[in-house]
Amino acid sequence: MVVCGDDGLAHRLAAELRGVYREQVTLVVPPAGRRVRQPVVGRARAASAALLDMVNAAVNRTGNGDPGGADRELDATEPTEDVLADAGVERATALALVYDDDETNIRAALTARRLNPRLRLVLRLYNRRLGQHIEELLDQSATLATGDGAGTGAGAGSTTVLSDADTAAPALAATALVGTSKVVETDGLLLRAVERNPPRPGEVADPGLCTLALLSATSNDPAGADGSEDSGEQGPQLLPDATAVEAATGRGTVALEQVSYSGPPLPAGRAGVPAFGELFSRRLRWSLAGLAACVVALAVALMLVTDDHPLHATYVTLLDLFSINEPAHNKDTGRQILQLLSGFVGLLLLPVLLAAVLEALGTFRSASALRKPPRGLGGHVVLLGLGKIGTRVLTRLREMDIPVVCVEADPEARGMATARRLRVPVVLGDVTQEGVLEAAKIHRAHSLLALTSVDTTNLEAVLYARSVRSRLRVVLRLYDDDFATAVYRTLRAAHPGALTRSRSVTHLAAPSFAGAMMGRQILGAIPVERRVLLFAAVEVAGHPQLEGKTVGEAFRAGAWRVLALEVSDGGRAEGGAPERARESRLVWELPDTYVLRGSDRVVLAATRRGLAELLGRRARRGADV
């Protein structure tokens, strides 16, 4: 495995491949003077990586292994053809290009595909539309070069384009909201997991579709283990069996509750063009309505005084209103009084019409400019940072119709155009400066999402926000796991009545990238406290743990669990499985008696080590031997 990158995702991905999948990895990173600080990825994975390094060193000393296959690290500013060749791309199984720049990843992918047409490529691209075209182009190139259709599927020569922002955005957005569950969405598939409190005495807990995890026994303790990534005695229990669920008392659960999107529909109108009712303020609309009522009243009065036809009476009233009718010198007194009143109403109409024109122009102008937080705003989410991650999270929150106020120091940030398009209020300024969070109405906010790329900035903003409102729900984006654990536990101990969560984007994204390098379709990841539960689509053929066994027999507590079965259009699953819904290609709530066949394709939930054991190349090699 070859991993090329210039930030923390490259280091974490390499650690994931070594510690979980036990793969030999060549890491290509910038020189020491230009690289980012390597993240702390947890004591368990670090120990596994150290153990693997010791095994590789021993193998190399005895001469029984491939000397060029040991884990190594190369220093290179850019992934040029010479660098990729030195990293062994011609002999590698998979290559991950996770540079922060899309152009660098695309250029290196084109070069690597020419060097090794059978190489499995995993690219990190922010531009999703461009990523689809690049994926098709590289797959087609692999197919033409090999001539055996290897460029399709998840096998040799395949290309997978992923985005760390898209992978982490659902979890970050869901964590900031009360009652909103953790979600994973890929290609229209939505998996929704919800945390449930322990049932009260006499109550029966609703398991939903299935119970994914038992939360740690100290999850409600301010100094609990939720901030730790290690699975100690009090840590969360992933994929428990029925016996463990029944025996668990006083522990919350994470249940799979919903599998279809039920959020509000997107607006049908053009983005950036306000509705007609929003062109004018409420006071101006009442003024126009009052003038219209006066015109109607004058027309009715003229019709009664002169016995004129209603249409003609209205026409004459409008002429008097705009002062283009002849003076009523020779008319009766009633007609003269009505003409004077019409002229007076016409004088009032002119400034109202001028105000309407100016307000409409100002509304259209502000539709393309940054909006300010409304005066009475409350119960909203304050989002700090409009970079790659913040932009994706903002889009998610607006799709769920959640009010958001953004804070950004750079007026040319990536997400400013998105904020204008979605008409989201933005406060320009450094969040560490006094008065910026107050301008975002932090004292009336529901939660705070600190998603800037600087840990100290996020921490300072959260500490200041907590001083303003102690019970504010906060979510921090932090780099190191150990630092995040210390911050989390300290904040919970200082503010036990408030909810605090610390999340790492690379921690959420690395499992998906690692699974793609192993040739598996990872649908997404759901954080359970500080551990991760993966969802993957797997072909049953070639896996003795699944093929020929029932769904109940294939379930392995703490490792993996079959959730759904993919069937063809109009088909019916055998073995008593219910017929699939027409709008979905997946059958949920499979009976435990259904026998998995080699031609089946299933969606399963798995831990990282469970997925590595089930699908890892080394596990299958050992089984074959």
Side-chain angles (χ1 to χ4, degrees):
M1 301 289 177
V2 180
V3 178
C4 303
D6 58 356
D7 60 5
L9 180 57
H11 293 282
R12 195 178 295 271
L13 176 55
E16 189 85 12
L17 293 170
R18 292 167 179 163
V20 178
Y21 293 95
R22 305 189 66 82
E23 292 288 339
Q24 293 178 347
V25 181
T26 297
L27 179 61
V28 180
V29 291
R34 300 184 60 180
R35 73 178 63 173
V36 297
R37 177 169 51 93
Q38 182 174 352
V40 179
V41 293
R43 292 184 294 274
R45 275 179 287 174
S48 299
L51 178 61
L52 183 58
D53 292 339
M54 293 172 61
V55 172
N56 289 332
V59 171
N60 291 332
R61 285 196 302 269
T62 59
N64 296 328
D66 179 12
D71 294 338
R72 58 181 180 145
E73 182 173 318
L74 301 179
D75 292 339
T77 305
E78 294 184 359
T80 61
E81 182 174 352
D82 294 338
V83 171
L84 293 177
D86 189 22
V89 168
E90 296 91 340
R91 305 179 306 277
T93 301
L95 167 65
L97 298 167
V98 293
Y99 290 93
D100 191 54
D101 180 50
D102 287 1
E103 183 180 350
T104 302
N105 293 326
I106 294 173
R107 189 188 312 115
L110 296 174
T111 303
R113 177 61 76 215
R114 187 178 69 255
L115 294 175
N116 187 355
R118 295 184 178 274
L119 181 68
R120 185 182 300 124
L121 288 175
V122 178
L123 278 72
R124 171 191 184 183
L125 295 182
Y126 182 79
N127 191 327
R128 289 175 286 187
R129 179 175 299 179
L130 176 61
Q132 294 177 356
H133 296 309
I134 292 296
E135 186 173 342
E136 295 174 359
L137 175 64
L138 292 174
D139 282 346
Q140 184 179 1
S141 175
T143 303
L144 295 177
T146 58
D148 56 0
T152 59
S158 65
T159 305
T160 304
V161 176
L162 298 175
S163 170
D164 56 335
D166 288 333
T167 304
L172 292 171
T175 308
L177 305 175
V178 172
T180 302
S181 304
K182 304 165 184 178
V183 293
V184 174
E185 184 176 10
T186 303
D187 296 333
L189 172 66
L190 185 68
L191 303 174
R192 182 174 186 263
V194 58
E195 290 187 9
R196 294 177 175 173
N197 295 324
R200 298 178 181 177
E203 292 183 351
V204 178
D206 181 13
L209 293 178
C210 68
T211 300
L212 297 178
L214 294 174
L215 298 177
S216 61
T218 58
S219 59
N220 295 323
D221 184 3
D226 185 77
S228 176
E229 195 177 79
D230 300 329
S231 56
E233 181 181 356
Q234 300 295 332
Q237 183 178 354
L238 303 183
L239 300 176
D241 55 15
T243 304
V245 174
E246 294 176 359
T249 57
R251 300 180 65 174
T253 61
V254 177
L256 190 66
E257 187 180 62
Q258 178 180 323
V259 295
S260 60
Y261 181 69
S262 59
L266 295 177
R270 292 182 298 168
V273 180
F276 178 78
E278 298 180 0
L279 287 176
F280 312 114
S281 63
R282 186 175 182 179
R283 182 179 302 176
L284 185 58
R285 292 198 299 268
W286 277 109
S287 300
L288 291 174
L291 290 175
C294 291
V295 172
V296 173
L298 290 173
V300 172
L302 182 62
M303 180 184 64
L304 295 177
V305 170
T306 61
D307 294 331
D308 202 352
H309 189 272
L311 292 179
H312 189 265
T314 304
Y315 173 70
V316 172
T317 301
L318 292 176
L319 293 179
D320 293 335
L321 190 69
F322 296 113
S323 300
I324 56 178
N325 197 10
E326 294 182 357
H329 292 296
N330 301 322
K331 305 294 183 179
D332 54 7
T333 304
R335 174 70 183 89
Q336 293 176 351
I337 294 175
L338 289 177
Q339 190 176 54
L340 292 176
L341 291 177
S342 298
F344 179 72
V345 173
L347 294 176
L348 297 178
L349 180 61
L350 289 178
V352 173
L353 291 178
L354 179 61
V357 172
L358 295 177
E359 190 167 300
L361 292 177
T363 301
F364 276 105
R365 184 175 61 253
S366 62
S368 59
L370 295 177
R371 303 184 64 191
K372 295 183 179 180
R375 290 185 177 179
L377 182 63
H380 57 287
V381 175
V382 177
L383 176 62
L384 308 183
L386 285 176
K388 293 195 306 181
I389 307 300
T391 303
R392 290 286 193 257
V393 173
L394 172 62
T395 304
R396 281 281 182 173
L397 293 173
R398 292 306 299 139
E399 286 177 354
M400 294 185 288
D401 202 22
I402 303 299
V404 185
V405 174
C406 300
V407 179
E408 175 57 53
D410 183 10
E412 302 298 329
R414 186 190 298 264
M416 297 298 284
T418 302
R420 292 188 182 95
R421 177 175 57 85
L422 298 177
R423 306 185 67 200
V424 174
V426 177
V427 177
L428 284 176
D430 187 355
V431 70
T432 61
Q433 299 297 324
E434 186 177 357
V436 175
L437 284 178
E438 285 81 356
K441 314 292 183 183
I442 193 64
H443 57 285
R444 291 201 297 265
H446 171 270
S447 56
L448 171 67
L449 272 168
L451 303 181
T452 70
S453 57
V454 182
D455 287 1
T456 55
T457 299
N458 294 334
L459 181 58
E460 183 177 354
V462 167
L463 292 176
Y464 180 76
R466 278 284 170 82
S467 67
V468 176
R469 186 176 181 183
S470 60
R471 299 183 64 87
L472 180 69
R473 174 188 290 255
V474 298
V475 180
L476 294 89
R477 174 190 175 186
L478 297 178
Y479 192 73
D480 286 342
D481 288 333
D482 288 351
F483 182 50
T485 300
V487 170
Y488 165 81
R489 290 179 174 175
T490 304
L491 286 176
R492 286 204 62 176
H495 304 278
L499 182 62
T500 304
R501 289 293 184 266
S502 58
R503 295 288 181 253
S504 170
V505 174
T506 57
H507 173 70
L508 297 175
S512 297
F513 281 82
M517 292 188 71
M518 298 298 298
R520 314 302 170 189
Q521 183 182 354
I522 304 297
L523 302 179
I526 285 180
V528 179
E529 298 183 0
R530 290 198 62 80
R531 300 183 66 189
V532 175
L533 192 63
L534 302 178
F535 292 82
V538 177
E539 301 285 349
V540 175
H543 302 296
Q545 303 94 331
L546 303 177
E547 189 173 2
K549 296 186 177 182
T550 64
V551 173
E553 295 172 345
F555 169 54
R556 181 174 171 183
W560 61 76
R561 178 171 188 168
V562 176
L563 299 178
L565 172 69
E566 182 177 335
V567 295
S568 59
D569 294 338
R572 175 184 291 271
E574 298 181 1
E579 186 177 2
R580 69 170 178 86
R582 293 188 179 185
E583 67 275 5
S584 175
R585 300 181 61 196
L586 296 173
V587 175
W588 299 90
E589 297 184 293
L590 287 172
D592 291 340
T593 56
Y594 175 72
V595 179
L596 299 174
R597 301 170 298 174
S599 59
D600 288 339
R601 190 167 185 264
V602 296
V603 174
L604 53 84
T607 62
R608 289 179 298 181
R609 296 192 179 276
L611 188 64
E613 180 181 351
L614 178 65
L615 307 177
R617 294 189 300 142
R618 298 179 183 273
R620 291 203 305 275
R621 288 176 186 172
D624 294 340
V625 173

